[in-house]
């Protein structure tokens, strides 16, 4: 392992003096997404000099992936800064001038369509008819009323009735169906249309929650997710610029790309550490001192460490935790990994030579009239396309050209990922023709899509509180190893960061960044405390 001797600007602060008095702790950060980079940046800024970042893929950014498309940038991953007031991502972007070219129309407080504040969402049925705007607004108001009810269970400690099975989807469907069916003024055809719109809204909500279905989202915990006040913002030059700002002061020798970790050995005894270190390529003049952690990489290199910050996604932990950690995770932490939810939300970008939609249209929403009484939004494999809930119009056209962004989630997204571009483009074109009633819509001249579910190092988009899980599971996932009750072992050997470890801001970029800073601060406080304890020893 190469020694990362990063020069510090100053060693005048107490922490730096404490670290230089003794051996610098060896810290390894697994993952170069927002959480990993935030942790690394915080550590380096606070006097830690022996820090190494191991990133499995060949790029930094994690679930931030901006793709250059002609003169514009498309986001395969994170797209919006959700909220401004106190949002560290927003302040980072604003301070560095990344929001200067954001138009007013790209700022919205709406929950459904976030690309443009102006314009109208076109709700189209599979028979090619547009649902009247007043009927859409009427249903939207009704849906939002019930959405607010779903927040009350956590926020007001309201008990959950057994009939809902603690499911957001089941509760929402049951309450709205009763309200719709009891409306004395609507005709039977209007009621059926509203019931079909309900299914479409739940698909959109599933994409936003990154859940296979809202039936799997916990009703009792749904209201704990906290929205930061303020508008939603896009970053015209690409969300990856936030990543690059975080990484710009991290020396290149600290970042090691294409370096997947096979196993994390923790709680190693001195003998264990010596045996493992015999296998390692240290490239150092002297034998390293024993460390409680050893990281075994896929290329057979072993790195010794005092601390490791694991920022792997929840999807990756679900797949790999049994073999990734040695010894295995404590039972309660392993249960938290399994109980919390993560699914795949994918985007499908379609570029057209000319727009076939009207200038005021900001999205095309797909309403299947034959799904009014649908109880499950899990489709047979050949009908995966039914989970595509909508296509948003990217705005402004001066930047994006004539581009649509489709949304799909759950198992159906994984099936879409297994199809080739030609197949997906053909199916999307047929859907657009069917729902708009315009048989002359040409095939797109280009298609671009994400594939987060099949990415072996990510395996999903972002986390949600699944039925049966709670915020306590998020806290358990975030708790470092070994647990504090084990006082004989070296502390904070394995720390955990990433959006899934933030109880209030899970699923967000700001949650990821804050979690990385949180774990770095644990180590800073540990060594600050060690220094303070040493300097206050009584003279005997």
């Amino acid at each position: 392992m190469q020694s990362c001797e990063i020069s510090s600007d100053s060693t005048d602060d107490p922490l730096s003096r404490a670290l230089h008095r003794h051996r610098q702790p060896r810290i390894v950060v697994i993952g170069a997404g927002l959480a990993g980079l935030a942790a690394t940046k915080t550590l380096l800024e606070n006097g830690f000099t022996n820090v190494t970042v191991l990133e499995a893929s060949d790029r930094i950014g994690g679930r931030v992936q901006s793709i250059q498309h002609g003169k514009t940038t498309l986001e395969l991953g994170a797209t919006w800064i959700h909220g401004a007031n106190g949002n560290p991502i927003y302040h980072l972007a604003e301070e560095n001038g990344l929001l200067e070219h954001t138009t007013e129309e790209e700022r919205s407080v709406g929950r459904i369509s976030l690309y443009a504040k102006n314009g109208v969402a076109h709700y189209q049925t599979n028979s090619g008819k547009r649902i009247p705007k007043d009927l859409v607004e009427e249903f939207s108001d009704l849906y939002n009323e019930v959405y607010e009810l779903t927040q009350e269970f956590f926020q007001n400690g309201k008990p959950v009735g057994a009939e809902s099975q603690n499911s957001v989807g089941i509760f929402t469907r049951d309450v709205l169906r009763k309200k719709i069916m009891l409306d004395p003024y609507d005709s039977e055809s209007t009621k059926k249309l509203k019931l079909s719109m309900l299914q479409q809204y739940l698909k959109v909500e599933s994409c936003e929650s990154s859940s296979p279905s809202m039936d799997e989202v916990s009703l009792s915990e749904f209201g704990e997710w906290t929205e930061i006040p303020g508008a939603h913002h896009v970053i015209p030059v690409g969300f990856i610029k936030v990543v690059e700002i975080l990484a710009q002061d991290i020396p290149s020798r600290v970042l090691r790309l294409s370096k997947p970790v096979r196993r994390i050995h923790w709680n190693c005894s001195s003998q264990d550490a010596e045996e493992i270190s015999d296998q390692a390529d240290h490239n150092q003049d002297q034998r390293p001192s024993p460390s409680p952690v050893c990281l075994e990489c896929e290329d057979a290199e072993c790195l010794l460490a005092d601390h490791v910050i694991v920022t792997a996604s929840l999807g990756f932990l679900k797949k790999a935790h049994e073999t990734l950690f040695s010894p295995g995770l404590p039972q309660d932490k392993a249960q938290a990994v399994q109980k919390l939810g993560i699914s795949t939300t994918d985007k499908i970008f379609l570029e057209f030579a000319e727009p076939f939609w009207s200038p005021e249209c900001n999205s095309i929403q797909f309403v299947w009239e034959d799904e009014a009484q649908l109880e499950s939004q899990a489709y047979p494999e050949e009908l995966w396309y039914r989970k595509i809930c909508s296509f948003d119009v990217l705005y402004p056209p001066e930047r994006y050209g004539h581009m649509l962004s489709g949304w799909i989630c759950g198992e159906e997204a994984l099936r879409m990922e297994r199809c080739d571009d030609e197949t997906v483009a053909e199916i999307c074109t047929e859907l657009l023709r069917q729902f708009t009633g315009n048989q002359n819509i040409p095939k797109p001249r280009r298609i671009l899509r994400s594939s987060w579910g099949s990415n072996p190092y990510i395996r999903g988009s972002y986390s949600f509180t699944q039925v049966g899980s709670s915020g306590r599971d998020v806290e358990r996932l975030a708790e470092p190893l070994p647990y504090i009750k084990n006082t004989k072992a070296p502390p904070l050997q394995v720390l955990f960061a990433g959006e899934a470890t933030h109880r209030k801001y899970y699923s967000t970029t700001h949650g990821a960044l804050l979690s990385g800073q949180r774990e770095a601060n644990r180590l800073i406080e540990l060594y600050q405390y060690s220094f303070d304890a040493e300097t206050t020893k009584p003279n005997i």
Side-chain angles (χ1 to χ4, degrees), residues 164-422:
S164 73
Q165 300 176 48
N166 198 24
S167 160
V168 172
I170 293 174
F171 173 84
T172 302
R173 214 163 31 241
D174 287 351
V175 173
L176 270 168
R177 279 176 174 171
K178 288 173 184 175
K179 287 178 177 289
I180 290 168
M181 297 309 295
L182 291 175
D183 191 321
Y185 302 106
D186 281 348
S187 65
E188 289 303 311
S189 60
T190 297
K191 289 178 180 178
K192 181 181 177 182
L193 201 52
K194 286 183 176 179
L195 290 173
S196 300
M197 290 176 67
L198 166 60
Q199 302 292 351
Q200 195 277 339
Y201 269 58
L202 287 174
K203 289 177 188 177
V204 171
E205 206 75 66
S206 295
C207 283
E208 294 192 354
S209 297
S210 195
S211 60
S213 159
M214 291 308 292
D215 290 6
E216 298 190 27
V217 180
S218 173
L219 181 60
S220 61
E221 306 299 316
F222 194 46
E224 184 166 19
W225 186 87
T226 305
E227 186 169 5
I228 292 180
H232 301 276
H233 297 262
V234 298
I235 302 177
V237 293
F239 215 114
I240 196 66
K241 294 299 181 184
V242 171
V243 174
E244 292 170 358
I245 289 167
L246 285 174
Q248 66 186 6
D249 293 326
I250 300 174
S252 58
R253 62 182 176 274
V254 171
L255 284 167
R256 304 183 66 181
L257 302 180
S258 302
K259 196 73 174 175
V261 174
R262 177 187 298 144
R263 189 165 289 109
I264 300 169
H265 302 271
W266 59 285
N267 247 357
C268 296
S269 66
S270 297
Q271 183 177 353
D272 292 335
E274 283 187 19
E275 290 176 357
I276 297 171
S277 68
D278 285 339
Q279 307 168 29
D281 175 19
H282 297 292
N283 295 329
Q284 291 176 312
D285 295 333
Q286 57 185 13
R287 187 181 192 82
S289 57
S291 299
V293 179
C294 176
L295 294 102
E296 188 183 334
C297 297
E298 290 287 355
D299 62 5
E301 182 182 1
C302 294
L303 287 80
L304 299 181
D306 299 290
H307 313 280
V308 57
I309 302 177
V310 179
T311 72
S313 73
L314 178 63
F316 181 81
L317 290 178
K318 281 178 177 289
K319 177 71 175 179
H321 80 84
E322 291 182 353
T323 57
L324 182 62
F325 297 95
S326 177
L329 295 178
Q331 184 177 4
D332 55 353
K333 188 181 283 285
Q335 286 175 343
V337 169
Q338 294 305 329
K339 286 162 69 175
L340 291 168
I342 186 169
S343 183
T344 300
T345 294
D346 277 326
K347 300 175 189 176
I348 307 170
F349 292 101
L350 302 178
E351 182 187 33
F352 293 87
E354 298 291 336
F356 58 82
W357 52 90
S358 55
E360 87 285 352
C361 175
N362 66 22
S363 66
I364 301 168
Q365 310 285 331
F366 293 163
V367 179
W368 294 88
E369 292 179 273
D370 58 354
E371 293 188 355
Q373 300 301 325
L374 195 68
E375 294 297 333
S376 170
Q377 292 188 341
Y379 295 94
E381 188 164 349
E382 67 276 9
L383 297 180
W384 63 263
Y385 55 84
R386 282 206 171 214
K387 201 64 167 287
I388 299 175
C389 59
S390 62
F391 277 91
D392 287 337
V393 177
L394 270 62
Y395 187 91
E398 293 78 16
R399 178 185 304 145
Y400 294 105
H402 308 301
M403 184 88 67
L404 299 179
S405 173
W407 297 89
I408 185 171
C409 63
E411 287 298 314
E412 292 78 10
L414 294 176
R415 291 170 193 149
M416 182 276 295
E417 291 180 13
R418 292 196 288 268
C419 296
D420 58 38
D421 282 352
E422 182 69 18

Side-chain angles (χ1 to χ4, degrees), residues 89-147:
I89 299 285
Y90 171 81
H91 294 300
L92 198 63
E94 185 183 42
E95 290 163 7
N96 287 274
L98 302 185
L99 304 177
E100 288 178 0
H101 302 292
T102 305
T103 66
E104 284 299 318
E105 289 77 10
E106 289 172 304
R107 303 177 185 188
S108 167
V109 293
R111 288 191 310 107
I112 300 299
S113 181
L114 298 179
Y115 272 108
K117 180 170 65 176
N118 295 336
V120 179
H122 286 206
Y123 284 79
Q124 305 281 155
T125 69
N126 55 300
S127 58
K129 298 176 182 176
R130 182 181 171 189
I131 301 174
K133 183 181 175 183
D134 59 344
L135 183 58
V136 172
E137 291 175 347
E138 185 180 318
F139 174 78
S140 183
D141 289 342
L142 188 62
Y143 180 88
N144 286 330
E145 283 179 24
V146 177
Y147 179 87

Side-chain angles (χ1 to χ4, degrees), residues 34 63-66 75-80 239-240 347 452 509:
L34 287 170
R63 283 167 275 179
V64 176
Q65 188 175 12
S66 305
E75 306 289 3
L76 292 182
T79 303
W80 294 282
F239 215 114
I240 196 66
K347 300 175 189 176
W452 296 111
T509 54

